[in-house]
Amino acid sequence: VIEGNDPIYICSDRKKSNSVCLESHPGDLILLRGPRNKEEEMFRPMHYIERLREERYTIIFRQIRD
């Protein structure tokens, strides 16, 4: 998180079941585990943010595997 204080939520599914709020502040690092193969896809953490209260800047790195 570079700038902004809005929380990120981790949940069990796309319906936002079992949501857990993680506060995020400038300088915070949030790591979300990605699946290494199709068998691990069910363990991938779902995440979302609610309506932003202020501007938020983040850097996101994703690796796409063939």
Side-chain angles (χ1 to χ4, degrees), residues 49-60:
I49 54 174
E50 291 290 346
R51 185 174 205 166
L52 297 177
R53 297 172 289 192
E54 59 184 62
E55 283 191 352
R56 173 186 172 99
Y57 294 96
T58 59
I59 297 176
I60 300 170

Side-chain angles (χ1 to χ4, degrees), residues 2-62:
I2 297 173
E3 186 175 317
N5 292 307
D6 289 315
I8 184 171
Y9 296 85
I10 307 299
C11 55
S12 300
D13 54 35
R14 296 196 184 276
K15 295 179 183 177
K16 301 178 181 178
S17 302
N18 305 313
S19 292
V20 175
C21 175
L22 300 173
E23 293 295 327
S24 63
H25 305 284
D28 285 354
L29 174 65
I30 300 170
L31 301 174
L32 298 176
R33 182 186 188 283
R36 292 176 287 187
N37 52 46
K38 292 189 186 253
E39 290 78 26
E40 292 184 357
E41 186 67 37
M42 60 190 274
F43 300 111
R44 179 178 178 252
M46 294 288 150
H47 62 285
Y48 65 97
I49 54 174
E50 291 290 346
R51 185 174 205 166
L52 297 177
R53 297 172 289 192
E54 59 184 62
E55 283 191 352
R56 173 186 172 99
Y57 294 96
T58 59
I59 297 176
I60 300 170
F61 297 98
R62 293 181 185 210

